[in-house]
Amino acid sequence: MSFAVGVDAGGTSTRAALVDAAGAVLGTGRGEGANPNAHAPEVAAGRIAGAITAALGAHDPGAVRACVVGMAGVSKLSDQDVAAVFAAAWTRIGLTCAVRTVADAEVAYASATPAPDGTVVVAGTGSIVGRIRKRRLAGTTGGYGWLLGDEGSAFWLGREAVRSTLEALGRGRPLDGLPSAVLTAALGPSGLDVRDDAARLAASRALITAANAEAPVRLARFAPLVSAAHDAGEPAAREIVTRAAGFLAENALAAREPGESTPVVLVGSVLTGASPVGELVRRRLTGLEVLTSSDGVLGAAWLAAVDAFGEGAPRPRPERY
């Protein structure tokens, strides 16, 4: 009996699934984040290897015919020394097949549709739009990281929430709603003690200091405050959400050829669930088939199954997971 293994390795968690030729999920494994840009390569590789080992259970790793790892930060493996660390990890756990590492956007796209061509829009902590051709990432728009872009992401939403709060403080605007939520989250209840201009200036300086004291991506923690304020009808939050959706929808359309009718797959916390940004993006993409990524690890497992067993490999289903 032979198997295929799929892995979805993100910044905060890693999941692996073992499937057979019939699409049955025989085992699963989980671990902490394994983005090699955020963690030491030895740590990231070890976490992925651990998740694969857990998914294998008592099954022979030598019977795995194909393994696909969808990885946030996959570009790090262009460094030969880093790639060697991961190759050593595969050998250590007994894999004898080729391990194909791809962008996490590829496995997210594959989790939602078997269509070989399409577009994937990712907006979580960061953001990127990918053009998918033959189930491979053929090009991107956006996705330049927090310093150069990531428009519409949770980081971007959080940054705009802080900027909007600073403007409210500096221009003497009311601080109820989003500014109040941001100040409380960043500074605690004392952040709302802004009875006069001097107190507003002090609060502004304290907010800037607090934001700069943490890693830039930590601004993403303010994104849910924008969504809540938007749902409450606050104009500033609605304007931020509208701009975020505009950036993401424009990048999605820019990644497509004129008249293209392939699917668009939405991925990430900013676009899925009850997110107001996701709702607006769907409206802007009216007329296209817009899908939501269900489970990246199942997309990775299916891509591995196709590599192992051919195009006829059945798609693993959530109820089997």
Side-chain angles (χ1 to χ4, degrees), residues 132-304:
I132 302 294
R133 294 294 181 268
K134 297 181 179 179
R135 302 194 185 98
R136 304 291 180 94
L137 192 64
T140 61
T141 58
Y144 307 133
W146 67 267
L147 182 62
L148 301 176
D150 278 359
E151 292 88 353
S153 67
F155 157 78
W156 185 91
L157 288 165
R159 189 193 67 182
E160 293 305 298
V162 173
R163 287 168 57 93
S164 178
T165 300
L166 291 169
E167 289 184 1
L169 284 166
R171 300 183 183 187
R173 295 173 181 167
L175 298 179
D176 53 325
L178 181 59
S180 174
V182 169
L183 288 169
T184 300
L187 307 176
S190 63
L192 297 179
D193 184 13
V194 286
R195 291 166 290 182
D196 52 33
D197 288 346
R200 281 178 173 261
L201 180 58
S204 178
R205 288 173 174 171
L207 179 56
I208 293 170
T209 299
N212 284 314
E214 298 182 312
V217 294
R218 281 281 292 157
L219 288 171
R221 66 191 175 102
F222 298 110
L225 305 180
V226 178
S227 295
H230 170 278
D231 293 345
E234 185 171 339
R238 295 178 71 87
E239 189 267 342
I240 292 171
V241 165
T242 298
R243 285 195 291 130
F247 285 129
L248 293 169
E250 288 166 14
N251 280 343
L253 295 173
R256 298 170 67 81
E257 298 171 4
E260 185 175 337
S261 59
T262 60
V264 178
V265 175
L266 305 184
V267 185
S269 58
V270 173
L271 291 170
T272 58
S275 164
V277 176
E279 181 180 347
L280 280 181
V281 168
R282 288 180 178 84
R283 289 183 193 171
R284 290 176 181 243
L285 298 179
T286 296
L288 300 175
E289 181 185 13
V290 180
L291 307 171
T292 300
S293 173
S294 56
D295 198 334
V297 70
L298 295 181
W302 181 64
L303 291 176

Side-chain angles (χ1 to χ4, degrees), residues 33-106:
N35 180 337
N37 284 319
H39 307 283
E42 293 79 7
V43 172
R47 289 173 176 175
I48 295 173
I52 293 173
T53 297
L56 283 166
H59 297 287
D60 178 11
V64 177
R65 291 177 56 178
C67 178
V68 171
V69 178
M71 183 188 302
V74 69
S75 60
K76 190 74 172 180
L77 271 68
S78 62
D79 182 324
Q80 293 303 307
D81 291 337
V82 174
V85 169
F86 281 82
W90 313 147
T91 300
R92 186 171 63 252
I93 62 175
L95 291 180
T96 58
C97 66
V99 177
R100 185 159 65 92
T101 54
V102 303
D104 53 348
E106 287 187 30

